[in-house]
């Protein structure tokens, strides 16, 4: 089995989850990532406030990458620094 197959990223589509629940779920999932692991979130707007949260709480430990930037769908990869 290849490295990519064993480290598949979890994709979390939060478009149908109420905002207050999103802000509890996403940080909790990130906290469980091992160094070098990543997850993706899919939302219906630019998640800038979430990015600011991760920057203030995790600093350089959270690498944020936009994979898709609207207008209808935004996809972001969050990777825990190795």
């Amino acid at each position: 089995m290849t490295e990519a197959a064993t480290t598949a990223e979890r994709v979390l589509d939060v478009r149908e989850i109420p905002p207050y629940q999103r802000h509890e779920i996403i940080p909790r999932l990130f906290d469980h990532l091992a160094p070098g692991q990543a997850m993706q979130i899919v939302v219906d707007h630019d998640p800038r406030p979430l990015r600011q949260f991760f920057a203030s709480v995790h600093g350089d430990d959270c690498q944020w990458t936009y994979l898709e930037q609207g207008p209808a769908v935004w996809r972001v990869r969050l990777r825990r620094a190795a």
Side-chain angles (χ1 to χ4, degrees):
M1 191 178 295
T2 67
E3 172 90 13
T6 60
T7 59
E9 291 179 359
R10 177 181 211 157
V11 177
L12 179 64
D13 186 339
V14 298
R15 291 177 286 185
E16 299 298 322
I17 299 174
Y20 71 93
Q21 288 180 334
R22 295 177 194 180
H23 295 280
E24 294 175 8
I25 294 169
I26 296 169
R28 197 172 322 141
L29 290 174
F30 181 81
D31 288 342
H32 286 92
L33 293 176
Q37 283 187 319
M39 62 184 252
Q40 293 180 28
I41 58 170
V42 180
V43 295
D44 57 3
H45 64 281
D46 186 353
R48 278 182 292 195
L50 186 64
R51 184 176 191 175
Q52 292 169 346
F53 167 81
F54 274 99
S56 68
V57 172
H58 294 284
D60 292 339
D61 190 38
C62 178
Q63 299 167 344
W64 180 283
T65 305
Y66 283 104
L67 302 174
E68 192 172 343
Q69 292 183 282
V73 175
W74 296 74
R75 183 181 299 268
V76 176
R77 174 178 290 125
L78 301 169
R79 180 179 305 280
R80 184 173 287 281

